[in-house]
Amino acid sequence: KEEQMKDNIALIGFMGSGKSTIGRVLAKYLDMKFIDIDKMISAREKKTIPEIFEEKGEAYFRKLEREIVYEESLDNNIVIATGGGVIIDNENIKTLRETSFIVYLDCTIECIYERVKHSKGRPLLNVDDMFEKIKELHSKREILYRISADFSVKIDIESNMYDTAEKIKEAYIYNS
Ligand code: S3P
């Protein structure tokens, strides 16, 4: 059945947009299982994300990401927190579109920066001018987030994760 195939929820959005935090809350609200793609990549390699980037390179990371997105999407009734770069790969978008209601966490640049500025776990932002880098990457990726999503939710510094999860829950129920 069509609706059975799309009963997962995939959260997409830039680094720091809150995919994991909101995903966990949302999974509770809907009594679904929560999975975090970055966590699974780390667990499979027994390395942190920065270690994987450093030792094996970004292409290797992207390959693992693609495999795990595919494998996990086969499961049902799960909320999937993706990594911010998941939309770079067309295969990922295709896989997620077939299996999941895709939600874009549309977080302002200021909000993203506030949340990631002290983070050491994001190799792509490990540069001198982090704010510039965020703006650059964000402007390249924004269109991909938008066209991939079934539903978008705006997030800023004031947003509360419970309200955001509630909005997504309603959109998901209305859609199914
Ligand atoms: C990345 C985002 C990260 C992680 C990796 C690459 C990206 O995930 O997958 O560092 O390309 O935007 P988060 O969005 O959870 O930080």
Short mmCIF file of all heavy atoms in Angstrom, two decimals, residues 64-128:
data_model
loop_
_atom_site.label_atom_id
_atom_site.label_comp_id
_atom_site.label_asym_id
_atom_site.label_seq_id
_atom_site.Cartn_x
_atom_site.Cartn_y
_atom_site.Cartn_z
N LEU A 64 29.41 5.67 2.97
CA LEU A 64 28.79 5.03 4.14
C LEU A 64 27.41 5.61 4.41
O LEU A 64 26.45 4.89 4.71
CB LEU A 64 29.64 5.30 5.39
CG LEU A 64 30.78 4.38 5.71
CD1 LEU A 64 31.50 4.92 6.94
CD2 LEU A 64 30.25 2.98 6.01
N GLU A 65 27.33 6.92 4.32
CA GLU A 65 26.07 7.62 4.57
C GLU A 65 24.99 7.09 3.62
O GLU A 65 23.88 6.78 4.03
CB GLU A 65 26.29 9.13 4.38
CG GLU A 65 25.08 9.99 4.67
CD GLU A 65 25.38 11.50 4.51
OE1 GLU A 65 26.04 11.89 3.53
OE2 GLU A 65 24.95 12.28 5.38
N ARG A 66 25.36 6.97 2.35
CA ARG A 66 24.41 6.50 1.34
C ARG A 66 23.94 5.08 1.67
O ARG A 66 22.76 4.76 1.59
CB ARG A 66 25.05 6.56 -0.05
CG ARG A 66 24.08 6.37 -1.19
CD ARG A 66 24.78 6.37 -2.54
NE ARG A 66 25.79 7.40 -2.65
CZ ARG A 66 27.08 7.17 -2.95
NH1 ARG A 66 27.52 5.96 -3.19
NH2 ARG A 66 27.93 8.17 -3.01
N GLU A 67 24.89 4.22 2.03
CA GLU A 67 24.53 2.83 2.36
C GLU A 67 23.59 2.76 3.56
O GLU A 67 22.60 2.03 3.55
CB GLU A 67 25.79 2.02 2.69
CG GLU A 67 26.61 1.68 1.46
CD GLU A 67 28.01 1.13 1.80
OE1 GLU A 67 28.27 0.82 2.99
OE2 GLU A 67 28.82 1.02 0.87
N ILE A 68 23.91 3.54 4.57
CA ILE A 68 23.11 3.45 5.79
C ILE A 68 21.73 4.09 5.61
O ILE A 68 20.73 3.56 6.09
CB ILE A 68 23.90 4.03 6.99
CG1 ILE A 68 25.09 3.09 7.24
CG2 ILE A 68 23.03 4.16 8.23
CD1 ILE A 68 26.01 3.47 8.36
N VAL A 69 21.67 5.18 4.86
CA VAL A 69 20.36 5.78 4.56
C VAL A 69 19.49 4.74 3.84
O VAL A 69 18.32 4.54 4.17
CB VAL A 69 20.50 7.06 3.70
CG1 VAL A 69 19.18 7.47 3.08
CG2 VAL A 69 21.08 8.20 4.53
N TYR A 70 20.08 4.05 2.89
CA TYR A 70 19.32 3.05 2.14
C TYR A 70 18.84 1.91 3.04
O TYR A 70 17.66 1.57 3.06
CB TYR A 70 20.17 2.50 0.99
CG TYR A 70 19.40 1.51 0.15
CD1 TYR A 70 18.47 1.95 -0.77
CD2 TYR A 70 19.57 0.14 0.35
CE1 TYR A 70 17.71 1.05 -1.51
CE2 TYR A 70 18.82 -0.78 -0.40
CZ TYR A 70 17.89 -0.31 -1.32
OH TYR A 70 17.14 -1.19 -2.04
N GLU A 71 19.76 1.35 3.79
CA GLU A 71 19.41 0.21 4.66
C GLU A 71 18.35 0.58 5.69
O GLU A 71 17.40 -0.16 5.90
CB GLU A 71 20.65 -0.30 5.41
CG GLU A 71 21.63 -1.03 4.51
CD GLU A 71 23.02 -1.18 5.16
OE1 GLU A 71 23.11 -1.11 6.40
OE2 GLU A 71 23.99 -1.35 4.41
N GLU A 72 18.53 1.71 6.32
CA GLU A 72 17.60 2.10 7.39
C GLU A 72 16.23 2.47 6.86
O GLU A 72 15.22 2.26 7.52
CB GLU A 72 18.19 3.25 8.21
CG GLU A 72 19.42 2.87 9.01
CD GLU A 72 19.19 1.69 9.94
OE1 GLU A 72 18.11 1.61 10.55
OE2 GLU A 72 20.09 0.83 10.04
N SER A 73 16.19 3.02 5.65
CA SER A 73 14.90 3.42 5.07
C SER A 73 13.98 2.24 4.79
O SER A 73 12.78 2.41 4.60
CB SER A 73 15.12 4.16 3.76
OG SER A 73 15.87 5.32 3.98
N LEU A 74 14.55 1.06 4.75
CA LEU A 74 13.74 -0.12 4.49
C LEU A 74 12.86 -0.47 5.68
O LEU A 74 11.84 -1.13 5.55
CB LEU A 74 14.64 -1.33 4.16
CG LEU A 74 15.53 -1.17 2.93
CD1 LEU A 74 16.47 -2.36 2.80
CD2 LEU A 74 14.70 -1.02 1.67
N ASP A 75 13.25 0.01 6.83
CA ASP A 75 12.46 -0.20 8.04
C ASP A 75 11.20 0.67 7.99
O ASP A 75 11.11 1.59 7.19
CB ASP A 75 13.34 0.22 9.25
CG ASP A 75 12.91 -0.46 10.53
OD1 ASP A 75 11.85 -1.14 10.53
OD2 ASP A 75 13.62 -0.32 11.54
N ASN A 76 10.22 0.34 8.84
CA ASN A 76 8.98 1.10 8.86
C ASN A 76 8.79 1.81 10.17
O ASN A 76 9.31 1.39 11.19
CB ASN A 76 7.79 0.15 8.68
CG ASN A 76 7.60 -0.19 7.21
OD1 ASN A 76 7.78 0.66 6.35
ND2 ASN A 76 7.25 -1.43 6.96
N ASN A 77 7.97 2.87 10.11
CA ASN A 77 7.58 3.53 11.35
C ASN A 77 8.76 4.09 12.15
O ASN A 77 8.81 3.95 13.36
CB ASN A 77 6.84 2.51 12.22
CG ASN A 77 5.43 2.99 12.48
OD1 ASN A 77 4.84 3.69 11.66
ND2 ASN A 77 4.91 2.65 13.64
N ILE A 78 9.67 4.71 11.45
CA ILE A 78 10.81 5.29 12.15
C ILE A 78 10.96 6.78 11.82
O ILE A 78 10.55 7.24 10.76
CB ILE A 78 12.15 4.59 11.78
CG1 ILE A 78 12.36 4.56 10.26
CG2 ILE A 78 12.19 3.17 12.33
CD1 ILE A 78 13.73 4.04 9.85
N VAL A 79 11.50 7.50 12.78
CA VAL A 79 11.88 8.89 12.54
C VAL A 79 13.39 8.88 12.31
O VAL A 79 14.15 8.37 13.14
CB VAL A 79 11.54 9.78 13.75
CG1 VAL A 79 12.07 11.20 13.54
CG2 VAL A 79 10.03 9.80 14.01
N ILE A 80 13.81 9.42 11.17
CA ILE A 80 15.22 9.39 10.80
C ILE A 80 15.82 10.79 10.88
O ILE A 80 15.37 11.70 10.17
CB ILE A 80 15.40 8.88 9.33
CG1 ILE A 80 14.65 7.57 9.10
CG2 ILE A 80 16.88 8.75 8.98
CD1 ILE A 80 14.60 7.15 7.62
N ALA A 81 16.82 10.96 11.72
CA ALA A 81 17.59 12.21 11.70
C ALA A 81 18.74 11.99 10.74
O ALA A 81 19.58 11.10 10.93
CB ALA A 81 18.11 12.54 13.09
N THR A 82 18.79 12.78 9.67
CA THR A 82 19.86 12.63 8.68
C THR A 82 21.01 13.58 9.02
O THR A 82 20.88 14.42 9.90
CB THR A 82 19.32 12.99 7.27
OG1 THR A 82 18.90 14.35 7.26
CG2 THR A 82 18.16 12.09 6.88
N GLY A 83 22.11 13.47 8.31
CA GLY A 83 23.19 14.45 8.43
C GLY A 83 22.89 15.60 7.47
O GLY A 83 22.20 15.41 6.47
N GLY A 84 23.43 16.76 7.76
CA GLY A 84 23.13 17.96 6.97
C GLY A 84 23.46 17.85 5.49
O GLY A 84 22.89 18.57 4.66
N GLY A 85 24.37 16.92 5.15
CA GLY A 85 24.78 16.82 3.75
C GLY A 85 24.06 15.73 2.98
O GLY A 85 24.38 15.47 1.82
N VAL A 86 23.05 15.14 3.58
CA VAL A 86 22.40 13.98 2.96
C VAL A 86 21.80 14.32 1.59
O VAL A 86 21.79 13.49 0.68
CB VAL A 86 21.31 13.40 3.92
CG1 VAL A 86 20.04 14.21 3.87
CG2 VAL A 86 21.05 11.94 3.63
N ILE A 87 21.37 15.57 1.44
CA ILE A 87 20.68 16.00 0.20
C ILE A 87 21.64 16.24 -0.96
O ILE A 87 21.20 16.46 -2.08
CB ILE A 87 19.83 17.27 0.45
CG1 ILE A 87 20.56 18.28 1.35
CG2 ILE A 87 18.51 16.92 1.11
CD1 ILE A 87 21.67 19.02 0.78
N ILE A 88 22.94 16.21 -0.72
CA ILE A 88 23.91 16.40 -1.79
C ILE A 88 23.82 15.23 -2.78
O ILE A 88 24.09 15.38 -3.96
CB ILE A 88 25.36 16.40 -1.23
CG1 ILE A 88 25.56 17.56 -0.27
CG2 ILE A 88 26.39 16.46 -2.34
CD1 ILE A 88 26.90 17.46 0.45
N ASP A 89 23.44 14.09 -2.25
CA ASP A 89 23.43 12.87 -3.05
C ASP A 89 22.02 12.55 -3.55
O ASP A 89 21.11 12.33 -2.77
CB ASP A 89 23.96 11.71 -2.19
CG ASP A 89 24.21 10.47 -3.00
OD1 ASP A 89 23.27 9.98 -3.66
OD2 ASP A 89 25.34 9.98 -3.00
N ASN A 90 21.90 12.50 -4.86
CA ASN A 90 20.62 12.23 -5.49
C ASN A 90 19.98 10.91 -5.10
O ASN A 90 18.76 10.80 -4.96
CB ASN A 90 20.82 12.23 -7.00
CG ASN A 90 19.93 13.24 -7.63
OD1 ASN A 90 18.74 13.29 -7.33
ND2 ASN A 90 20.49 14.08 -8.48
N GLU A 91 20.83 9.89 -4.92
CA GLU A 91 20.35 8.59 -4.50
C GLU A 91 19.63 8.68 -3.15
O GLU A 91 18.60 8.05 -2.94
CB GLU A 91 21.54 7.62 -4.32
CG GLU A 91 22.03 6.98 -5.60
CD GLU A 91 20.95 6.14 -6.26
OE1 GLU A 91 20.43 5.24 -5.58
OE2 GLU A 91 20.64 6.40 -7.43
N ASN A 92 20.22 9.45 -2.25
CA ASN A 92 19.62 9.62 -0.92
C ASN A 92 18.24 10.25 -1.02
O ASN A 92 17.29 9.81 -0.37
CB ASN A 92 20.49 10.50 -0.02
CG ASN A 92 21.79 9.84 0.36
OD1 ASN A 92 21.91 8.62 0.32
ND2 ASN A 92 22.78 10.65 0.73
N ILE A 93 18.15 11.28 -1.84
CA ILE A 93 16.86 11.97 -1.98
C ILE A 93 15.83 10.99 -2.52
O ILE A 93 14.71 10.92 -2.03
CB ILE A 93 16.97 13.21 -2.90
CG1 ILE A 93 17.97 14.20 -2.28
CG2 ILE A 93 15.61 13.87 -3.08
CD1 ILE A 93 18.11 15.51 -3.02
N LYS A 94 16.24 10.22 -3.51
CA LYS A 94 15.34 9.26 -4.12
C LYS A 94 14.87 8.23 -3.08
O LYS A 94 13.67 7.97 -2.94
CB LYS A 94 16.07 8.57 -5.27
CG LYS A 94 15.22 7.74 -6.15
CD LYS A 94 15.94 7.43 -7.48
CE LYS A 94 15.29 6.25 -8.17
NZ LYS A 94 15.92 4.96 -7.80
N THR A 95 15.82 7.67 -2.36
CA THR A 95 15.49 6.69 -1.32
C THR A 95 14.52 7.28 -0.29
O THR A 95 13.51 6.67 0.04
CB THR A 95 16.78 6.26 -0.56
OG1 THR A 95 17.71 5.75 -1.50
CG2 THR A 95 16.49 5.21 0.48
N LEU A 96 14.85 8.47 0.19
CA LEU A 96 14.01 9.07 1.23
C LEU A 96 12.62 9.42 0.70
O LEU A 96 11.62 9.24 1.39
CB LEU A 96 14.69 10.30 1.82
CG LEU A 96 15.98 10.03 2.61
CD1 LEU A 96 16.64 11.32 3.06
CD2 LEU A 96 15.71 9.13 3.83
N ARG A 97 12.55 9.89 -0.53
CA ARG A 97 11.25 10.23 -1.11
C ARG A 97 10.34 9.01 -1.21
O ARG A 97 9.14 9.11 -1.07
CB ARG A 97 11.40 10.87 -2.49
CG ARG A 97 11.98 12.25 -2.48
CD ARG A 97 11.58 13.03 -3.73
NE ARG A 97 10.15 13.35 -3.68
CZ ARG A 97 9.64 14.40 -3.03
NH1 ARG A 97 10.43 15.24 -2.41
NH2 ARG A 97 8.34 14.61 -3.03
N GLU A 98 10.93 7.88 -1.47
CA GLU A 98 10.13 6.66 -1.62
C GLU A 98 9.63 6.11 -0.29
O GLU A 98 8.65 5.39 -0.24
CB GLU A 98 10.95 5.57 -2.33
CG GLU A 98 11.01 5.80 -3.83
CD GLU A 98 12.07 4.95 -4.51
OE1 GLU A 98 12.69 4.08 -3.84
OE2 GLU A 98 12.30 5.17 -5.72
N THR A 99 10.34 6.41 0.78
CA THR A 99 10.04 5.73 2.04
C THR A 99 9.57 6.67 3.16
O THR A 99 9.08 6.19 4.18
CB THR A 99 11.31 5.04 2.58
OG1 THR A 99 12.36 6.02 2.69
CG2 THR A 99 11.77 3.93 1.65
N SER A 100 9.75 7.96 2.96
CA SER A 100 9.56 8.85 4.11
C SER A 100 8.85 10.15 3.76
O SER A 100 8.96 10.66 2.65
CB SER A 100 10.93 9.24 4.69
OG SER A 100 11.76 8.12 4.87
N PHE A 101 8.16 10.65 4.75
CA PHE A 101 7.64 12.01 4.71
C PHE A 101 8.84 12.89 5.08
O PHE A 101 9.38 12.78 6.18
CB PHE A 101 6.51 12.12 5.74
CG PHE A 101 5.84 13.45 5.83
CD1 PHE A 101 5.15 13.98 4.74
CD2 PHE A 101 5.87 14.18 7.02
CE1 PHE A 101 4.50 15.21 4.84
CE2 PHE A 101 5.23 15.41 7.11
CZ PHE A 101 4.54 15.92 6.03
N ILE A 102 9.27 13.73 4.15
CA ILE A 102 10.51 14.47 4.37
C ILE A 102 10.22 15.87 4.90
O ILE A 102 9.46 16.63 4.31
CB ILE A 102 11.34 14.58 3.06
CG1 ILE A 102 11.60 13.18 2.46
CG2 ILE A 102 12.65 15.31 3.32
CD1 ILE A 102 12.43 13.20 1.18
N VAL A 103 10.85 16.18 6.02
CA VAL A 103 10.61 17.45 6.68
C VAL A 103 11.90 18.27 6.74
O VAL A 103 12.92 17.80 7.24
CB VAL A 103 10.08 17.23 8.12
CG1 VAL A 103 9.88 18.57 8.83
CG2 VAL A 103 8.79 16.43 8.10
N TYR A 104 11.81 19.48 6.22
CA TYR A 104 12.96 20.39 6.25
C TYR A 104 12.89 21.29 7.48
O TYR A 104 11.93 22.03 7.66
CB TYR A 104 12.98 21.23 4.96
CG TYR A 104 14.00 22.35 4.92
CD1 TYR A 104 15.24 22.23 5.55
CD2 TYR A 104 13.72 23.53 4.24
CE1 TYR A 104 16.16 23.27 5.52
CE2 TYR A 104 14.65 24.57 4.19
CZ TYR A 104 15.87 24.44 4.84
OH TYR A 104 16.78 25.46 4.80
N LEU A 105 13.89 21.22 8.32
CA LEU A 105 14.00 22.12 9.46
C LEU A 105 14.71 23.38 8.96
O LEU A 105 15.94 23.40 8.82
CB LEU A 105 14.77 21.47 10.61
CG LEU A 105 14.22 20.13 11.12
CD1 LEU A 105 15.00 19.68 12.36
CD2 LEU A 105 12.73 20.22 11.44
N ASP A 106 13.90 24.38 8.68
CA ASP A 106 14.39 25.60 8.03
C ASP A 106 14.83 26.60 9.10
O ASP A 106 14.08 27.47 9.51
CB ASP A 106 13.26 26.16 7.15
CG ASP A 106 13.68 27.37 6.36
OD1 ASP A 106 14.87 27.75 6.40
OD2 ASP A 106 12.80 27.97 5.71
N CYS A 107 16.07 26.45 9.49
CA CYS A 107 16.61 27.18 10.63
C CYS A 107 17.39 28.41 10.13
O CYS A 107 18.13 28.31 9.16
CB CYS A 107 17.55 26.22 11.35
SG CYS A 107 18.10 26.75 12.95
N THR A 108 17.22 29.55 10.78
CA THR A 108 17.94 30.76 10.35
C THR A 108 19.46 30.58 10.53
O THR A 108 19.91 29.81 11.40
CB THR A 108 17.51 32.00 11.16
OG1 THR A 108 17.85 31.78 12.54
CG2 THR A 108 16.02 32.28 11.03
N ILE A 109 20.22 31.31 9.74
CA ILE A 109 21.69 31.24 9.81
C ILE A 109 22.18 31.60 11.22
O ILE A 109 23.08 30.97 11.76
CB ILE A 109 22.32 32.22 8.79
CG1 ILE A 109 21.82 31.94 7.38
CG2 ILE A 109 23.84 32.20 8.90
CD1 ILE A 109 22.72 31.07 6.55
N GLU A 110 21.56 32.63 11.79
CA GLU A 110 21.97 33.11 13.12
C GLU A 110 21.77 32.00 14.15
O GLU A 110 22.61 31.77 15.02
CB GLU A 110 21.14 34.33 13.55
CG GLU A 110 21.46 35.61 12.77
CD GLU A 110 20.99 35.58 11.31
OE1 GLU A 110 20.03 34.83 11.01
OE2 GLU A 110 21.61 36.28 10.49
N CYS A 111 20.65 31.33 14.02
CA CYS A 111 20.32 30.26 14.95
C CYS A 111 21.29 29.08 14.78
O CYS A 111 21.79 28.51 15.76
CB CYS A 111 18.88 29.85 14.70
SG CYS A 111 18.29 28.55 15.76
N ILE A 112 21.59 28.75 13.53
CA ILE A 112 22.55 27.69 13.24
C ILE A 112 23.90 28.03 13.89
O ILE A 112 24.48 27.22 14.61
CB ILE A 112 22.74 27.52 11.71
CG1 ILE A 112 21.49 26.89 11.09
CG2 ILE A 112 23.98 26.67 11.40
CD1 ILE A 112 21.45 26.94 9.57
N TYR A 113 24.34 29.25 13.65
CA TYR A 113 25.65 29.65 14.17
C TYR A 113 25.70 29.58 15.69
O TYR A 113 26.66 29.04 16.27
CB TYR A 113 26.00 31.06 13.68
CG TYR A 113 27.35 31.53 14.18
CD1 TYR A 113 28.51 30.90 13.74
CD2 TYR A 113 27.45 32.57 15.10
CE1 TYR A 113 29.75 31.31 14.21
CE2 TYR A 113 28.69 32.98 15.57
CZ TYR A 113 29.84 32.35 15.13
OH TYR A 113 31.06 32.74 15.59
N GLU A 114 24.67 30.07 16.34
CA GLU A 114 24.61 30.01 17.80
C GLU A 114 24.77 28.58 18.31
O GLU A 114 25.41 28.32 19.31
CB GLU A 114 23.29 30.59 18.33
CG GLU A 114 23.27 32.09 18.45
CD GLU A 114 24.49 32.65 19.19
OE1 GLU A 114 24.76 32.17 20.30
OE2 GLU A 114 25.16 33.55 18.63
N ARG A 115 24.16 27.66 17.60
CA ARG A 115 24.17 26.28 18.07
C ARG A 115 25.44 25.51 17.77
O ARG A 115 25.77 24.56 18.47
CB ARG A 115 22.99 25.52 17.47
CG ARG A 115 21.67 26.00 18.02
CD ARG A 115 20.61 25.23 17.33
NE ARG A 115 19.28 25.65 17.73
CZ ARG A 115 18.18 25.18 17.17
NH1 ARG A 115 18.28 24.29 16.20
NH2 ARG A 115 17.01 25.58 17.57
N VAL A 116 26.12 25.89 16.70
CA VAL A 116 27.28 25.08 16.32
C VAL A 116 28.62 25.74 16.66
O VAL A 116 29.67 25.13 16.51
CB VAL A 116 27.29 24.69 14.82
CG1 VAL A 116 26.03 23.91 14.44
CG2 VAL A 116 27.47 25.90 13.93
N LYS A 117 28.57 27.01 17.11
CA LYS A 117 29.83 27.76 17.19
C LYS A 117 30.87 27.14 18.12
O LYS A 117 32.06 27.33 17.90
CB LYS A 117 29.58 29.23 17.52
CG LYS A 117 29.02 29.50 18.88
CD LYS A 117 28.80 31.01 19.06
CE LYS A 117 28.18 31.29 20.41
NZ LYS A 117 27.73 32.68 20.55
N HIS A 118 30.44 26.40 19.13
CA HIS A 118 31.44 25.78 20.01
C HIS A 118 31.65 24.29 19.71
O HIS A 118 32.37 23.61 20.42
CB HIS A 118 31.03 25.94 21.48
CG HIS A 118 30.93 27.37 21.90
ND1 HIS A 118 31.99 28.24 21.79
CD2 HIS A 118 29.89 28.09 22.38
CE1 HIS A 118 31.60 29.44 22.21
NE2 HIS A 118 30.33 29.38 22.56
N SER A 119 30.97 23.82 18.65
CA SER A 119 31.03 22.39 18.36
C SER A 119 32.34 22.00 17.67
O SER A 119 32.82 22.67 16.77
CB SER A 119 29.83 22.00 17.50
OG SER A 119 30.20 20.99 16.59
N LYS A 120 32.90 20.89 18.13
CA LYS A 120 34.14 20.39 17.53
C LYS A 120 33.85 19.19 16.63
O LYS A 120 34.73 18.68 15.96
CB LYS A 120 35.12 19.95 18.64
CG LYS A 120 35.62 21.09 19.50
CD LYS A 120 36.92 21.69 18.94
CE LYS A 120 37.28 23.00 19.64
NZ LYS A 120 36.47 24.16 19.15
N GLY A 121 32.62 18.77 16.62
CA GLY A 121 32.29 17.51 15.94
C GLY A 121 31.91 17.65 14.48
O GLY A 121 31.45 16.70 13.88
N ARG A 122 32.08 18.87 13.92
CA ARG A 122 31.64 19.06 12.54
C ARG A 122 32.82 19.49 11.64
O ARG A 122 33.12 20.68 11.52
CB ARG A 122 30.52 20.07 12.50
CG ARG A 122 29.27 19.53 13.20
CD ARG A 122 28.15 20.51 13.18
NE ARG A 122 26.89 19.91 13.58
CZ ARG A 122 26.36 20.03 14.80
NH1 ARG A 122 26.96 20.70 15.74
NH2 ARG A 122 25.20 19.47 15.05
N PRO A 123 33.43 18.49 11.02
CA PRO A 123 34.66 18.75 10.26
C PRO A 123 34.51 19.83 9.19
O PRO A 123 35.45 20.58 8.94
CB PRO A 123 35.01 17.39 9.65
CG PRO A 123 33.84 16.51 9.87
CD PRO A 123 33.08 17.06 11.00
N LEU A 124 33.33 19.92 8.57
CA LEU A 124 33.18 20.92 7.50
C LEU A 124 33.20 22.35 8.02
O LEU A 124 33.43 23.29 7.28
CB LEU A 124 31.89 20.67 6.72
CG LEU A 124 31.81 19.35 5.96
CD1 LEU A 124 30.45 19.21 5.28
CD2 LEU A 124 32.91 19.26 4.91
N LEU A 125 32.95 22.50 9.31
CA LEU A 125 32.92 23.85 9.89
C LEU A 125 34.18 24.16 10.69
O LEU A 125 34.26 25.17 11.39
CB LEU A 125 31.68 24.01 10.78
CG LEU A 125 30.34 23.81 10.08
CD1 LEU A 125 29.19 24.02 11.06
CD2 LEU A 125 30.19 24.75 8.88
N ASN A 126 35.14 23.29 10.55
CA ASN A 126 36.40 23.46 11.26
C ASN A 126 37.32 24.40 10.46
O ASN A 126 38.35 23.99 9.94
CB ASN A 126 37.03 22.07 11.43
CG ASN A 126 38.13 22.08 12.46
OD1 ASN A 126 38.39 23.10 13.09
ND2 ASN A 126 38.79 20.94 12.62
N VAL A 127 36.92 25.65 10.35
CA VAL A 127 37.66 26.64 9.56
C VAL A 127 37.80 27.92 10.38
O VAL A 127 37.17 28.07 11.42
CB VAL A 127 36.93 26.96 8.23
CG1 VAL A 127 36.88 25.76 7.32
CG2 VAL A 127 35.52 27.47 8.50
N ASP A 128 38.61 28.87 9.87
CA ASP A 128 38.82 30.12 10.62
C ASP A 128 37.54 30.93 10.77
O ASP A 128 37.17 31.34 11.86
CB ASP A 128 39.90 30.97 9.93
CG ASP A 128 41.28 30.36 10.13
OD1 ASP A 128 41.42 29.55 11.08
OD2 ASP A 128 42.19 30.67 9.34
#
